[in-house]
Amino acid sequence: MLGVVFFVSGCANLIGFTGADTGKRVGDWVEYNVNHPGLTIKIIEPYSEELMPISTEGKTSPSPLRHTVIFGTQSSQHKLEIVGRYSKELYLDNKFYGSVWLGDVLIRDGSLSIDGKLVAAVEN
């Protein structure tokens, strides 16, 4: 029997844990699974020799819970921010995409989908 071990980085707290795996290559893409309480988050980026390791930081204090994920290449970095413990505000590259309590979030090559629906940034 062969066991598979993967590395997860992040922080733990009383409501769950935040973090991300190191990703896996699937054809010409790399898939990352990001952990955030109440959300299933997948980031899919085109494979490149320049891809940076995914970086994740979760903070519970000062309130509200803030989870920041940096991914992409050195020349084209992306930042996903999830703000909130229950109702979670989603920001990609400093643009607001909406709030969600629970759900599936997919970021593929710079586009964000929530529960299978492509979402545009909300204009202020």
Side-chain angles (χ1 to χ4, degrees), residues 10 15 25 28 39 51 61 66 78 83 102 109 112:
I15 61 165
R25 187 164 176 192
D28 293 335
L39 297 178
L51 271 179
S61 182
R66 180 176 299 270
H78 296 285
V83 180
L102 302 168
D109 202 17
L112 190 142

Side-chain angles (χ1 to χ4, degrees), residues 5-20:
V5 176
F6 66 95
F7 178 74
V8 175
S9 65
C11 88
N13 58 45
L14 293 176
I15 61 165
F17 66 95
T18 63

Side-chain angles (χ1 to χ4, degrees), residues 52-117:
M52 304 181 315
I54 196 166
S55 166
T56 179
E57 180 179 344
K59 292 184 179 182
T60 58
S61 182
S63 215
L65 174 64
R66 180 176 299 270
H67 184 191
T68 304
V69 181
I70 307 291
F71 59 97
T73 63
Q74 194 67 34
S75 62
S76 180
Q77 284 187 18
H78 296 285
K79 178 170 78 169
L80 170 66
E81 280 190 293
I82 307 155
V83 180
R85 189 171 303 244
Y86 303 108
S87 176
K88 299 150 191 82
E89 297 176 354
L90 300 174
Y91 298 86
L92 179 61
D93 296 332
N94 298 316
K95 295 177 185 169
F96 178 64
Y97 281 82
S99 297
V100 62
W101 282 72
L102 302 168
D104 297 326
V105 177
L106 171 67
I107 299 171
R108 183 178 178 123
D109 202 17
S111 297
L112 190 142
S113 299
I114 300 173
D115 293 330
K117 297 176 185 161

